[in-house]
Amino acid sequence: MYRSHNCGELNASHINTKVTLAGWVQKSRDKGFIVWVDLRDRYGITQLVFDEERSSKTLLQQAQNLGREFVIQVKGTVIERASKNPNMPTGAIELLVSELTILNEALLPPFTIEDKTDGGEELRMKYRYLDIRRNPVKNSLIFRHKVAQAVRNYLSKEGFIEVETPYLIKSTPEGARDFVVPSRMNAGQFYALPQSPQTFKQLLMVGGMDKYFQIVKCFRDEDLRADRQPEFTQIDCEMAFIEQEDILNAFEGLTRHLLKEVNGVEVEKFPRMLYDDAMRLYGNDKPDIRFGMEFCPLTPKEGNFGFPVFDDAQLVVGITVEGCAHYTRKQIDALIDWVKRPQIGANGLVWIKYNEDGSLTSSVNKFFDEAALKHFSEEMKAKAGDLMLIMAESTNKVRSQLSALRMELAEQLGLRKPNEFAPLWVLDFPLLEWDEDTKRYHAMHHPFTSPKPGQLELLKTNPGAVKANAYDLVLNGNEIGGGSIRIHDKETQALMFDYLGFTPEQAKAQFGFLMDAFQYGAPPHGGLAFGLDRLVAILGGQETIRDFIAFPKNNSGRDVMIDAPAAIDNLQLQELHLKVEL
């Protein structure tokens, strides 16, 4: 037995108990005649003590030669600690060691194994197994486990059945790029790794498994960012014999359960917002509603604005930032520089201050008199002490730019509180979106999404106006889940493929198995998938998902720890019928 107790459980009730501990040396303090060693495992830290009065000379010398991260086993007696540490669960005791065994020596780590480390992100990713020993990463992984267990327990109690679906599937032309896997036994043919288990979960509904879920790995070969990895995990769910309202109620219940179980927070309201309203009021389809700053479109007081930047724009729109009329010119210039960055791409920013004395000043005083500025302030519902920020451009562009500015200001002003949760359903997305490059419509979600009831005929006359029977669940400005009611009959699915530019032959080659299945009694069905990585991060008070993934990739999609992806030798290439030319 390597240990009788862990390093986080000993307390005053264990005094005079003989115990065995094992773990890593966190640090040691050598005073010559006495040595203290902090021993760490997953559960906590226990202080060990060796001294010349109570320890043998050999034992004291062993303790003096211990290095950081040595793996050791100790036996001894729990004694009362002279200088107690109230900030540690084990701070009332220490272990007087009678026997020390070095299980494994260790090199000096490339960064300190402390909560606040001196290691940069790339270095810590290279030595991720060391980074996991640090409390922030360790606790994030334990937190992820807790969330996953809460999901499984809740859905199981609600009658959902967990079913595994294949990882080696067929490549499809819709969505992001696939990761492909060459087949050795089928020369020149390839599997794809699933971007989601979409078609399989629909087939499970055809098979009568009316409540399915799976915590499943998915893969997309797309550009990365803080909340995106090439492989990610979904809580994938599907239900049969349901309508949209059933789905929303079911997964409101799951989200409420997680917030209560994991965070101790009770959330009653799950407001609903149409996609068109989200874009009009917030400039994006995943608005953070924990704070205001809703968009306000501006109109000229009479005729036109008399200001070319506004007159030439499709949309002039602004936000009111409460209590910020005191911003200095330097602070406002910093915001202007921020929106002009290539990532945002704005040409500039107009500001109006509603001063505490009731006067109005602006960056465009030579174009607008006091009456015009007053008109703008009334439209924007500003009051004394507020700052108004206005942008003008083409509609989609300016909404995106102002949305980014709104979120940046919220960060600066401390309005995005990580312990405050505001869920939101966004409904009625467009079914199709026009792609200028290919000059055709693409499915906004995927080609299996059903149009809203009664809108199927619009596909023939005005396909861009058709709304999808789709919904996203947003939490604190992040999409944590999305889904739709699915098409469940062959004729409608064939029509959808036709509008998406598939020939009948292409549709049969790619999705013939699904359309065939629909002919054998497919029930009405729909579902939703949560992004587990992102959900866990938000519940954990963060938006960067890497610390909640045991072995994440970097921004280039590389695993710098194992150095992947990597070349393979010519023999493997020959077996796979591949030839690589660089």
Side-chain angles (χ1 to χ4, degrees):
M1 183 173 65
Y2 277 109
R3 55 187 179 185
S4 61
H5 297 75
N6 65 55
C7 293
E9 69 177 297
L10 298 177
N11 54 50
S13 69
H14 295 94
I15 289 174
N16 295 324
T17 304
K18 293 186 182 301
V19 302
T20 304
L21 302 179
W24 290 264
V25 173
Q26 175 82 10
K27 59 185 176 182
S28 60
R29 299 173 297 286
D30 184 359
K31 298 293 186 182
F33 63 92
I34 187 168
V35 177
W36 291 281
V37 174
D38 286 349
L39 186 66
R40 182 194 71 243
D41 64 9
R42 163 158 89 86
Y43 306 94
I45 291 175
T46 295
Q47 180 171 282
L48 314 179
V49 62
F50 307 77
D51 65 42
E52 59 186 15
E53 289 185 8
R54 295 172 290 182
S55 306
S56 69
K57 185 176 180 180
T58 301
L59 187 59
L60 186 60
Q61 286 176 339
Q62 272 188 295
Q64 289 170 329
N65 291 325
L66 290 174
R68 281 179 177 265
E69 301 307 310
F70 276 34
V71 186
I72 65 173
Q73 180 194 51
V74 291
K75 296 180 180 179
T77 304
V78 181
I79 62 174
E80 186 175 3
R81 189 163 164 174
S83 299
K84 296 179 175 58
N85 184 346
N87 298 318
M88 287 176 60
T90 61
I93 58 90
E94 58 190 2
L95 185 69
L96 178 61
V97 177
S98 58
E99 186 178 332
L100 165 63
T101 304
I102 297 175
L103 301 174
N104 214 337
E105 295 185 356
L107 296 173
L108 186 67
F111 53 86
T112 55
I113 313 297
E114 302 277 358
D115 290 4
K116 293 184 179 179
T117 183
D118 54 358
E121 184 174 54
E122 197 77 1
L123 181 65
R124 289 187 289 109
M125 287 181 71
K126 184 175 181 180
Y127 297 94
R128 184 64 166 180
Y129 44 86
L130 297 179
D131 203 26
I132 290 171
R133 294 180 190 174
R134 296 192 312 114
N135 283 327
V137 181
K138 175 198 74 178
N139 291 338
S140 292
L141 296 181
I142 294 171
F143 184 81
R144 180 190 179 104
H145 161 77
K146 185 177 179 181
V147 173
Q149 287 300 102
V151 168
R152 280 195 165 96
N153 292 340
Y154 180 87
L155 291 176
S156 297
K157 287 178 182 176
E158 292 295 313
F160 285 78
I161 304 300
E162 186 166 13
V163 182
E164 294 181 13
T165 53
Y167 278 172
L168 295 176
I169 65 168
K170 187 177 187 177
S171 181
T172 59
E174 290 292 318
R177 297 182 191 90
D178 286 327
F179 283 101
V180 294
V181 181
S183 171
R184 179 180 59 82
M185 293 181 291
N186 300 276
Q189 296 186 318
F190 297 81
Y191 298 105
L193 299 179
Q195 296 185 32
S196 83
Q198 181 62 44
T199 53
F200 288 101
K201 65 180 179 179
Q202 291 191 246
L203 292 171
L204 285 169
M205 297 303 104
V206 178
M209 302 293 288
D210 66 339
K211 285 186 173 184
Y212 141 93
F213 87 98
Q214 183 181 188
I215 297 181
V216 60
K217 279 282 188 187
C218 302
F219 308 85
R220 292 179 189 172
D221 188 5
E222 57 187 357
D223 295 335
L224 308 181
R225 57 187 188 220
D227 63 345
R228 182 184 287 168
Q229 289 271 303
E231 53 179 314
F232 57 97
T233 306
Q234 284 187 177
I235 307 166
D236 198 59
C237 307
E238 198 81 0
M239 301 169 71
F241 301 110
I242 46 80
E243 296 177 334
Q244 178 179 285
E245 193 66 25
D246 301 305
I247 298 279
L248 301 191
N249 289 334
F251 295 105
E252 277 183 24
L254 173 58
T255 308
R256 265 196 203 93
H257 174 75
L258 292 176
L259 286 166
K260 175 70 173 174
E261 185 79 8
V262 176
N263 295 84
V265 173
E266 293 199 25
V267 176
E268 290 302 321
K269 292 183 179 178
F270 280 68
R272 300 178 183 185
M273 183 180 296
L274 299 181
Y275 168 87
D276 289 343
D277 290 336
M279 298 303 294
R280 176 177 57 84
L281 294 172
Y282 299 99
N284 70 71
D285 58 6
K286 49 182 186 297
D288 191 335
I289 58 170
R290 287 174 293 178
F291 56 95
M293 284 195 271
E294 291 183 357
F295 287 11
C296 178
L298 298 182
T299 56
K301 193 170 189 303
E302 52 187 59
N304 56 31
F305 289 102
F307 178 41
V309 172
F310 285 6
D311 287 329
D312 294 341
Q314 272 188 334
L315 177 64
V316 181
V317 63
I319 55 175
T320 299
V321 191
E322 289 188 14
C324 288
H326 65 274
Y327 266 33
T328 64
R329 184 58 186 269
K330 183 178 179 181
Q331 286 175 293
I332 294 175
D333 284 346
L335 293 176
I336 294 171
D337 291 341
W338 192 87
V339 298
K340 284 184 174 180
R341 297 179 313 146
Q343 299 95 314
I344 309 301
N347 295 320
L349 182 65
V350 170
W351 56 267
I352 303 172
K353 289 184 179 183
Y354 198 145
N355 299 310
E356 293 287 0
D357 63 5
S359 63
L360 291 154
T361 56
S362 80
S363 58
V364 285
N365 277 346
K366 67 179 181 179
F367 292 98
F368 298 108
D369 58 19
E370 184 84 8
L373 296 178
K374 185 71 174 174
H375 169 69
F376 293 153
S377 70
E378 289 171 353
E379 283 197 305
M380 297 179 71
K381 296 182 174 58
K383 60 185 184 302
D386 291 347
L387 172 67
M388 291 162 272
L389 300 173
I390 303 167
M391 303 177 79
E393 248 289 2
S394 59
T395 299
N396 291 340
K397 202 171 187 181
V398 74
R399 281 176 171 171
S400 173
Q401 292 165 350
L402 191 59
S403 174
L405 177 61
R406 175 180 179 268
M407 296 295 276
E408 174 64 16
L409 281 164
E411 288 284 356
Q412 291 183 15
L413 296 170
L415 301 176
R416 304 192 71 203
K417 300 182 174 93
N419 57 351
E420 184 180 324
F421 297 96
L424 170 73
W425 286 108
V426 178
L427 311 174
D428 292 7
F429 286 79
L431 182 68
L432 307 171
E433 55 185 346
W434 181 255
D435 187 294
E436 279 297 331
D437 293 333
T438 59
K439 301 298 181 185
R440 67 182 180 90
Y441 282 105
H442 289 262
M444 190 165 190
H445 285 79
H446 52 62
F448 316 109
T449 297
S450 175
K452 292 287 284 188
Q455 296 205 3
L456 187 60
E457 288 302 312
L458 269 178
L459 278 172
K460 299 175 183 176
T461 57
N462 189 6
V466 180
K467 297 298 183 185
N469 206 344
Y471 32 81
D472 277 359
L473 182 55
V474 176
L475 185 62
N476 296 359
N478 294 273
E479 177 204 332
I480 60 166
S484 65
I485 301 299
R486 323 300 187 188
I487 296 168
H488 67 279
D489 66 277
K490 182 178 179 179
E491 291 72 24
T492 305
Q493 189 64 74
L495 184 63
M496 176 62 75
F497 285 141
D498 182 44
Y499 280 106
L500 292 173
F502 288 80
T503 65
E505 294 75 22
Q506 288 172 329
K508 182 171 179 58
Q510 291 291 334
F511 303 109
F513 65 92
L514 183 66
M515 297 170 76
D516 287 347
F518 284 170
Q519 298 178 101
Y520 290 92
H525 60 281
L528 179 142
F530 287 88
L532 179 64
D533 310 300
R534 192 179 301 171
L535 174 62
V536 170
I538 295 168
L539 294 177
Q542 300 181 40
E543 292 189 9
T544 301
I545 65 176
R546 280 186 190 151
D547 277 355
F548 295 89
I549 299 172
F551 299 103
K553 307 291 190 292
N554 69 8
N555 283 340
S556 301
R558 293 197 66 81
D559 186 325
V560 295
M561 182 184 66
I562 64 172
D563 193 25
I568 60 175
D569 64 39
N570 286 330
L571 180 59
Q572 284 180 287
L573 290 173
Q574 289 169 17
E575 287 182 331
L576 295 169
H577 318 286
L578 294 176
K579 182 179 179 182
V580 176
E581 296 181 1
L582 298 177

